[in-house]
């Protein structure tokens, strides 16, 4: 950044090169934000994902046909080449009839988190809507659309540019100014859409301009989620499907049957710049942020009680006094080996913090949903896990409760692995064959009563994604003492240490599968005394028939400070003990 001609050549630890000619329009998905797909390859990529990831049909390079992949379907999952018929009230209130297919987009959302400070992309979205509206186009009837800018400044310059009416004509009404779709707050789909998705196991899609698209996060009824720029979100809402080549295939037709392509409604750079210069001013930001803490009448009317300590209420379903300090002693307890541990979860690669601690809606029949119902909370008031993170009773029940998590411990007799927060309860049986399948939370209660510690086995990149604290907090409160994985996302590994959960990694390319671990073993983890950073830890897994598998792991306690956190039981205990010791010192 600071190089000037004539300067001596600079030396860096790493040099990264970016050829700007390789930067092309792209989307990312269907499950991870790092899985970039060039827009020119998006249809072919979707066909491959549909076959290989979602097990619908066969992969094919023939992408000429639209909206359907020919080929055999898994039994019970064939929605037919004509799709699933749906009838529902449309925008005007009249009943609309259409067929829903794999690949159809049912959520298109311009969200706040990545675009607040970039007027160009927000204006581009408005100009796409303006051009589309001038042609009489709108979203497809099965697409739920929303606009949630991160700031009222966006609304200000939309109004000044005359783009609000055009966006609303396409279906993009402003629904709020906070986190919405990419944290699971898009609300329910129309019941007719949900029924079609469930009855035929449709692989429905969402397209959003946020930065998170992990499994189960956007909607429990949407299996494939794509990140795209705001103007592309508008375009996809008009197309209504991800199964389209936006470069070469028409988005839709006008009322008189004329094909309309993406290039027909895409604004030029000059149009975006001219609109920005005319509509966006520094004063808008100054004015809107001047009263950010006082400008919301509803917030100002919330009653506030003044006290030095928070008055915990047992009746609250949002904020509770967490149990992290229950049983904590003044002194650091001696480090104990982890003996007789059972496997709570056996997981694969790329398990995200959303799999571990979902942010989206709370299912009515889940442990968290049943808890809320028992407290008199109506389903309509459940809200989402992301908004109830101040209540450990809900968040612990939600840990590993993502509707897309696949716990191999819950494997069926036919080899199928159910999706959702299921495990086998080895307090009620000893093997995968005789232990009953139950909710992970319910099993954890039985393990706690029996005094049985728990472990989690996982593959590569365990804990990738959003670094939410509850992925580690919930793990601890379920009774998990150690996680053994092939590798970790760096922040989640740290968070496990901060909560007193031991992160271990398999050595020498080993993993649960190569070691022949099924998940019905008992584990003895022999911690050395003293524990050193990155020390080796012997592990013995005893199978139900008494045979053992011995292997060695590396403790991912990377520094002396992390060893201190772990031996204290976590960072919270460390801080409290430090304060207690300081209070004992003479003044």
């Amino acid at each position: 950044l600071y190089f000037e001609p004539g300067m001596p050549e600079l030396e860096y630890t790493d040099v990264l090169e970016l050829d700007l000619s390789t930067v092309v329009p792209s989307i990312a998905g269907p499950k991870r934000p790092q899985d970039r797909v060039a827009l020119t390859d998006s249809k072919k990529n979707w066909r491959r994902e549909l076959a290989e990831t979602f097990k619908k049909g066969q992969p094919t390079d023939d992408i000429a046909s639209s909206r359907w992949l020919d080929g055999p379907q898994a039994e019970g999952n064939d929605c037919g080449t004509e799709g699933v018929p749906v009838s529902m009230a449309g925008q005007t209130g009249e009943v609309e009839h259409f067929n829903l297919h794999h690949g159809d987009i049912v959520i298109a959302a311009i969200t706040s988190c990545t675009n607040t400070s970039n007027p160009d992309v927000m204006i581009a979205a408005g100009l796409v809507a303006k051009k589309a509206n001038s042609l009489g186009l709108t979203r497809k009837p099965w697409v739920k659309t929303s606009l949630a800018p991160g700031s009222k400044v966006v609304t200000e310059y939309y109004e000044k540019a005359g783009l609000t009416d055009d966006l609303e004509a396409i279906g993009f009404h402003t629904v709020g100014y906070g986190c919405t779709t990419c944290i699971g707050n898009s609300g329910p789909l129309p019941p007719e859409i949900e029924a079609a998705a469930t009855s035929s196991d449709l692989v429905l899609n969402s397209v959003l301009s946020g930065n998170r698209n992990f499994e189960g996060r956007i909607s429990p009824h949407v299996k494939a989620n794509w990140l795209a720029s705001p103007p592309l979100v508008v375009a996809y809402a008009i197309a209504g499907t991800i199964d389209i080549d936006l470069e070469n295939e028409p988005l839709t037709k006008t009322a008189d049957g004329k094909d309309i392509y993406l290039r027909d409604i895409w604004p030029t750079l000059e149009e975006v710049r001219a609109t920005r210069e005319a509509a966006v001013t520094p004063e808008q930001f100054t004015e809107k942020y001047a009263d950010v803490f006082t400008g919301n009448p509803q917030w100002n009317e919330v009653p506030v009680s003044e006290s030095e300590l928070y008055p915990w209420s047992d009746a609250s379903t949002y904020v509770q006094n967490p149990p992290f300090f229950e049983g904590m002693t003044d002194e650091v307890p001696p480090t104990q080996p982890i003996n007789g541990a059972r496997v709570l979860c056996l997981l694969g690669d790329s398990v995200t913090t959303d799999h571990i601690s979902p942010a989206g809606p709370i299912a009515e029949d889940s442990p968290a949903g049943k808890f809320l119902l028992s407290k008199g909370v109506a389903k309509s008031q459940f809200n989402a896990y992301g908004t109830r993170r101040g209540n450990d009773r809900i968040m612990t029940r939600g840990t590993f409760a993502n509707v897309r998590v696949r716990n191999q411990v819950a494997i069926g007799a036919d080899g199928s692995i159910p999706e959702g927060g299921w495990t086998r309860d080895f307090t009620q049986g000893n093997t995968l064959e005789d232990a009953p399948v139950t909710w992970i939370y319910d099993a954890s209660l039985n393990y706690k009563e029996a005094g049985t510690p728990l472990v989690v086995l996982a593959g590569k990149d365990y804990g990738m994604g959003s670094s939410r604290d509850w992925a580690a907090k919930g793990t601890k409160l379920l009774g998990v003492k150690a996680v053994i994985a092939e590798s970790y996302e760096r922040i989640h590994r740290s968070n496990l240490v901060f909560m007193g959960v031991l992160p271990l990694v398999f050595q020498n390319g080993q993993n649960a599968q190569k070691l022949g671990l099924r998940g019905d073993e008992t584990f003895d983890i022999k911690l050395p005394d003293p524990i050193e950073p990155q020390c080796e830890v012997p592990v013995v897994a005893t199978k139900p028939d008494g045979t053992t598998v011995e292997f060695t792991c590396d403790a991912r306690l990377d520094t002396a400070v992390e060893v201190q956190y772990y031996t204290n039981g976590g960072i919270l205990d460390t801080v409290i003990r430090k304060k207690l010791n300081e209070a004992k010192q003479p003044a």
Side-chain angles (χ1 to χ4, degrees), residues 230-499:
L232 275 180
V233 171
V234 178
Y236 271 117
I238 295 169
T241 179
I242 202 73
D243 189 22
I244 184 174
D245 178 0
L246 290 179
E247 293 277 335
N248 301 301
E249 293 181 343
L251 280 176
T252 189
K253 294 180 183 292
T254 60
D256 58 3
K258 180 184 177 182
D259 286 340
I260 300 298
Y261 292 82
L262 178 64
R263 57 182 173 267
D264 296 326
I265 60 173
W266 197 261
T268 65
L269 184 59
E270 289 72 21
E271 288 174 317
V272 172
R273 286 176 174 170
T275 304
R276 171 174 31 91
E277 290 172 3
V280 182
T281 65
E283 290 75 23
Q284 292 168 336
F285 292 86
T286 303
E287 292 172 3
K288 291 299 179 185
Y289 288 114
D291 63 347
V292 67
F293 295 110
T294 58
N296 187 325
Q298 281 184 296
W299 180 257
N300 295 338
E301 291 172 5
V302 173
V304 177
S305 59
E306 295 184 8
S307 62
E308 292 186 2
L309 297 177
Y310 182 78
W312 302 106
S313 170
D314 290 338
S316 174
T317 58
Y318 276 97
V319 182
Q320 282 292 336
N321 186 4
F324 297 125
F325 304 111
E326 290 180 1
M328 194 190 84
T329 58
D330 288 0
E331 302 299 325
V332 179
T335 302
Q336 300 290 335
I338 302 170
N339 290 327
R342 280 293 194 171
V343 178
L344 184 66
C345 297
L346 172 56
L347 307 167
D349 296 338
S350 298
V351 170
T352 70
T353 47
D354 272 272
H355 288 113
I356 304 168
S357 181
I362 300 171
E364 193 169 6
D365 62 347
S366 69
K370 293 175 182 177
F371 173 81
L372 286 170
L373 290 174
S374 74
K375 298 298 181 180
V377 179
K379 175 67 172 67
S380 61
Q381 299 298 314
F382 274 15
N383 219 315
Y385 286 110
T387 53
R388 289 193 178 270
R389 64 186 70 183
N391 191 327
D392 65 277
R393 283 82 164 157
I394 295 169
M395 300 304 291
T396 307
R397 286 170 169 83
T399 304
F400 294 110
N402 185 299
V403 294
R404 296 283 175 257
V405 73
R406 299 164 187 84
N407 182 7
Q408 297 171 41
V409 174
I411 190 169
D414 60 354
S416 63
I417 301 172
E419 292 184 324
W422 304 101
T423 192
R424 289 188 183 274
D425 184 352
F426 294 116
T427 68
Q428 309 296 316
N430 199 44
T431 69
L432 293 182
E433 289 71 31
D434 62 19
V437 173
T438 186
W439 289 107
I440 285 173
Y441 175 76
D442 292 343
S444 76
L445 296 180
N446 290 338
Y447 287 124
K448 183 176 182 180
E449 184 177 353
T452 302
L454 300 172
V455 296
V456 169
L457 306 180
K460 299 181 181 68
D461 297 329
Y462 181 72
M464 63 177 293
S466 302
S467 55
R468 289 196 308 280
D469 56 347
W470 268 106
K473 288 178 177 177
T475 298
K476 177 187 179 72
L477 293 180
L478 285 175
V480 174
K481 301 298 183 183
V483 176
I484 309 176
E486 292 183 66
S487 63
Y488 293 89
E489 189 277 335
R490 63 180 183 88
I491 299 178
H492 184 62
R493 181 204 64 81
S494 298
N495 284 352
L496 289 173
V497 177
F498 291 162
M499 294 312 303

Side-chain angles (χ1 to χ4, degrees), residues 85-289:
V86 176
S87 298
M88 55 178 279
Q91 282 183 288
T92 62
E94 296 182 4
V95 175
E96 296 181 289
H97 307 278
F98 52 84
N99 289 351
L100 210 56
H101 303 75
H102 296 311
D104 281 349
I105 293 166
V106 293
I107 292 176
I110 300 175
T111 59
S112 65
C113 45
T114 54
N115 303 298
T116 299
S117 300
N118 189 347
D120 282 17
V121 292
M122 298 298 283
I123 286 172
L127 291 175
V128 169
K130 181 177 182 178
K131 290 172 180 284
N133 187 32
S134 70
L135 295 170
L137 308 180
T138 188
R139 63 170 176 82
K140 290 296 187 290
W142 53 84
V143 184
K144 181 176 184 177
T145 46
S146 62
L147 168 62
S151 167
K152 290 186 176 181
V153 173
V154 179
T155 300
E156 184 92 1
Y157 62 67
Y158 271 164
E159 291 282 355
K160 191 171 182 179
L163 297 175
T164 299
D165 290 344
D166 295 305
L167 282 161
E168 291 183 352
I170 306 299
F172 288 91
H173 296 260
T174 299
V175 296
Y177 297 91
C179 291
T180 53
T181 299
C182 74
I183 201 167
N185 288 341
S186 60
L189 295 172
E192 298 88 350
I193 299 287
E194 291 187 358
T198 303
S199 65
S200 297
D201 195 27
L202 286 174
V203 184
L204 300 179
N205 288 242
S206 75
V207 178
L208 59 146
S209 65
N211 57 13
R212 295 289 186 271
N213 61 334
F214 301 119
E215 285 190 296
R217 183 179 178 115
I218 308 304
S219 167
H221 298 284
V222 177
K223 294 185 177 181
N225 304 284
W226 305 88
L227 306 181
S229 66
L232 275 180
V233 171
V234 178
Y236 271 117
I238 295 169
T241 179
I242 202 73
D243 189 22
I244 184 174
D245 178 0
L246 290 179
E247 293 277 335
N248 301 301
E249 293 181 343
L251 280 176
T252 189
K253 294 180 183 292
T254 60
D256 58 3
K258 180 184 177 182
D259 286 340
I260 300 298
Y261 292 82
L262 178 64
R263 57 182 173 267
D264 296 326
I265 60 173
W266 197 261
T268 65
L269 184 59
E270 289 72 21
E271 288 174 317
V272 172
R273 286 176 174 170
T275 304
R276 171 174 31 91
E277 290 172 3
V280 182
T281 65
E283 290 75 23
Q284 292 168 336
F285 292 86
T286 303
E287 292 172 3
K288 291 299 179 185
Y289 288 114

